[in-house]
């Protein structure tokens, strides 16, 4: 019995020693890791060995790889089909993307470039390999391609040359505005039929109406979106100098009492230019409007430069602001997704998910048949609905 007790004590002593070794080794590894991190921060030119095992990711030595992929895809890319996602539809093949990256000096394989894009299906084994991605997705070959328009190449070349002109003149001389009307927003029913995450509170209960039919005819709001596109300096001759970032200005009109026309767009542009919030984007250091004004528009009759009223409004801008030049450019019919302002539409649609704008804030102006019985009250209710929508979008 005494022999067994001695053997148990000896084994416990060995176990305690091994446990102490484990703790000391863990403490030593943490101390070594902290020392290596401190050394790499203090002397970045020294090649410090990696504390982790395995092959290092490409982003460690090529830190701006993801941003470069996004820039390559952005140039010539299109917005989402329904403007409800901020992803970019890549209008190049994967081989073209890899070739552009290799030209830029990046060492990357075809498969490595692919797993940095959004997968077609995220819940598959292959989709789970896409960990560090950019908001870019490859297009599948589909049979719903629009029929080629006779002016598509001419319009694309015009847009390209005007972008190069803006790059040559620089951000201090050019004001680039992309404008379009967003889809009309209904009043009294859900503004956007799409799912979105909701934060639920136990203090109140969210209720929605048990119907989705229209309250009355033409009870909708017309949002007109104006996107000021910033221009990168010192990029003469490069069309990607015109970026998709910049301030956004939105006007909201009643779809029943007003309309979207060339004159309304001209009035909105003048109001935007005079705003103090837009001063740094639209005016020079001397406080005057930048001498070259470029409008990128859609092919609708209220925006297309082939219509006389649009040209008349452009001439008014030229004289009123004492400009040196005014350019109005547009893509061919069916190519509105390439208009820069379409990239600003997706966040706006996201905020409308599950939203119901009030149609009777000051009391109902409709009878049981949905006919207007109080025009003055109707105007007040429309104004309140527009103010509510403006407050929602202003919080972005």
């Amino acid at each position: 019995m005494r022999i067994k007790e001695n053997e148990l004590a000896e084994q416990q002593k060995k176990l305690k020693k091994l446990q102490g070794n484990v703790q000391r080794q863990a403490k030593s590894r943490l101390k070594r890791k902290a020392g290596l991190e401190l050394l790499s921060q203090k002397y970045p030119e020294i090649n410090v060995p990696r504390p982790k095992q395995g092959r290092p990711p490409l982003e460690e030595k090529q830190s701006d790889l993801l941003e470069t992929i996004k820039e390559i895809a952005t140039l010539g890319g299109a917005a989402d089909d329904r403007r409800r996602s901020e992803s970019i539809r890549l209008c190049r093949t994967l081989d073209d993307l890899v070739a552009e990256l290799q030209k830029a000096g990046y060492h990357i394989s075809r498969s490595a470039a692919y797993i940095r894009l959004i997968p077609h299906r995220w819940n598959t084994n292959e989709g789970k390999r896409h960990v560090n991605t950019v908001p870019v997705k490859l297009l599948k070959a589909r049979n719903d391609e629009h029929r080629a328009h006779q002016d598509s190449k001419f319009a694309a070349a015009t847009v390209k040359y005007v972008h190069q002109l803006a790059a040559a003149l620089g951000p201090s001389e050019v004001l680039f505005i992309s404008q379009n009307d967003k889809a009309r927003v209904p009043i009294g029913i859900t503004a956007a039929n799409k799912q979105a995450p909701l934060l639920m509170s136990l203090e109140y209960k969210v209720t929605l109406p048990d119907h989705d039919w229209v309250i009355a005819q033409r009870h909708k709001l017309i949002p007109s979106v104006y996107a000021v596109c910033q221009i990168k300096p010192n990029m003469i001759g490069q069309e990607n100098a015109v970026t998709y970032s910049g301030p956004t200005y939105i006007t909201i009109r009643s779809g029943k009492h007003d309309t979207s026309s060339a004159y309304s767009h001209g009035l909105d542009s003048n109001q935007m230019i005079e705003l103090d919030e837009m001063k740094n984007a639209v005016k020079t250091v001397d406080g005057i409007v930048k001498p070259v004004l470029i409008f990128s528009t859609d092919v609708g009759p209220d925006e297309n430069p082939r219509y006389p009223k649009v040209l008349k409004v452009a001439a008014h801008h030229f004289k009123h602001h004492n400009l040196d030049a005014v350019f109005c450019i547009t893509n061919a019919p069916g190519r509105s997704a390439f208009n820069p302002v379409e990239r600003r539409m997706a966040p706006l649609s996201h905020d409308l998910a599950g939203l119901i704008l009030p149609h009777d804030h000051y009391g109902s102006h409709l009878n049981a048949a949905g006919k207007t019985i109080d025009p003055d009250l109707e105007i007040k209710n429309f104004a309140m609905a527009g103010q509510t929508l403006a407050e929602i979008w202003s919080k972005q």
Side-chain angles (χ1 to χ4, degrees):
M1 189 66 181
R2 187 175 296 175
I3 296 175
K4 295 294 184 182
E5 291 178 353
N6 292 337
E7 289 180 358
L8 179 61
E10 189 68 24
Q11 294 298 330
Q12 289 178 346
K13 185 177 180 181
K14 289 182 179 179
L15 178 61
K16 187 175 180 180
K17 184 177 180 181
L18 292 175
Q19 290 176 343
N21 290 339
V22 171
Q23 294 177 357
R24 285 190 293 271
Q25 290 174 2
K27 186 176 180 180
S28 177
R29 285 194 299 268
L30 292 175
K31 186 176 180 180
R32 182 175 180 272
K33 182 179 179 181
L36 289 175
E37 291 179 355
L38 182 62
L39 185 63
S40 61
Q41 293 175 2
K42 190 173 182 180
Y43 303 102
E45 66 277 3
I46 299 178
N47 187 14
V48 180
R50 296 177 66 251
K52 297 181 180 180
Q53 294 182 352
R55 183 177 179 180
L58 296 177
E59 289 82 359
E60 281 197 6
K61 292 187 177 180
Q62 304 175 115
S63 56
D64 54 349
L65 174 62
L66 298 180
E67 286 297 324
T68 305
I69 293 177
K70 186 176 179 180
E71 289 181 3
I72 294 174
T74 300
L75 180 59
D80 181 63
D81 286 331
R82 303 187 66 185
R83 318 301 192 264
R84 292 185 175 182
S85 170
E86 297 184 49
S87 62
I88 304 168
R89 294 187 295 153
L90 182 60
C91 297
R92 302 166 181 255
T93 65
L94 183 59
D95 293 331
D96 294 335
L97 176 62
V98 174
E100 291 291 334
L101 289 172
Q102 291 177 351
K103 284 182 182 178
Y106 292 95
H107 301 282
I108 187 171
S109 64
R110 192 174 186 274
S111 60
Y114 176 67
I115 63 174
R116 282 161 177 81
L117 307 179
I118 297 177
H120 292 297
R121 296 185 63 183
W122 60 269
N123 56 350
T124 61
N125 290 331
E126 187 274 334
K128 293 176 181 178
R129 298 178 58 207
H130 299 244
V131 180
N132 295 325
T133 60
V134 292
V136 178
K137 190 173 184 179
L138 287 174
L139 281 178
K140 288 184 177 180
R142 300 185 297 182
N143 58 359
D144 60 349
E145 182 181 2
H146 295 286
R147 188 172 296 177
H149 194 272
Q150 60 182 358
D151 294 333
S152 59
K153 293 184 178 180
F154 172 77
T158 303
V159 172
K160 177 181 178 181
Y161 293 144
V162 171
H163 281 209
Q164 292 177 350
L165 175 63
L169 295 176
S172 61
E173 303 294 327
V174 179
L175 172 57
F176 194 106
I177 300 175
S178 177
Q179 67 183 43
N180 198 3
D181 288 338
K182 184 173 168 53
R184 299 195 176 200
V185 180
I187 300 176
I189 61 175
T190 50
N193 294 323
K194 66 186 287 289
Q195 293 181 346
L198 297 175
L199 293 177
M200 302 187 67
S201 173
L202 298 178
E203 298 178 0
Y204 61 90
K205 182 172 65 174
V206 179
T207 58
L208 297 176
D210 58 352
H211 61 82
D212 59 354
W213 56 79
V214 296
I215 299 299
Q217 291 184 353
R218 301 173 64 186
H219 273 51
K220 295 183 178 181
L221 300 176
I222 308 174
S224 297
V225 185
Y226 302 85
V228 178
C229 299
Q230 296 178 347
I231 301 174
K232 296 180 180 179
N234 304 322
M235 296 186 67
I236 297 177
Q238 301 182 36
E239 59 176 313
N240 59 344
V242 180
T243 66
Y244 292 92
S245 60
T248 304
Y249 177 70
I250 305 173
T251 60
I252 302 172
R253 289 184 169 82
S254 166
K256 185 174 183 179
H257 309 91
D258 204 348
T259 183
S260 178
S261 64
Y263 298 133
S264 67
H265 286 306
L267 179 62
D268 293 341
S269 300
N270 284 333
Q271 290 178 346
M272 180 189 69
I273 290 173
E274 298 302 327
L275 288 176
D276 291 336
E277 293 83 357
M278 292 288 184
K279 183 177 180 181
N280 295 332
V282 303
K283 295 184 179 180
T284 63
V285 292
D286 299 328
I288 60 175
V289 181
K290 295 179 181 179
V292 178
L293 179 58
I294 299 176
F295 284 107
S296 176
T297 64
D298 207 348
V299 293
D302 56 337
E303 299 171 337
N304 197 321
R306 64 188 289 262
Y307 293 99
K309 290 183 179 179
V310 178
L311 296 177
K312 184 177 180 180
V313 171
H316 168 77
H317 288 308
F318 181 82
K319 295 176 62 177
H320 179 70
H321 299 294
N322 193 22
L323 303 175
D324 293 343
V326 176
F327 296 90
C328 295
I329 58 176
T330 181
N331 286 288
R335 302 296 186 271
S336 63
F338 295 93
N339 197 357
V341 72
E342 303 296 339
R343 305 286 179 87
R344 313 282 178 96
M345 301 291 191
L348 302 180
S349 299
H350 184 272
D351 291 338
L352 299 181
L355 174 69
I356 298 180
L357 297 174
H359 75 285
D360 54 357
H361 180 79
Y362 296 106
S364 180
H365 56 271
L366 303 171
N367 58 14
K371 303 295 183 181
T372 301
I373 57 176
D374 192 338
D376 295 334
L377 183 61
E378 181 183 54
I379 293 176
K380 290 183 179 180
N381 285 329
F382 267 81
M384 185 61 193
Q387 181 180 351
T388 303
L389 181 60
E391 290 176 354
I392 293 172
W393 280 341
S394 297
K395 293 178 181 178
Q396 282 198 1

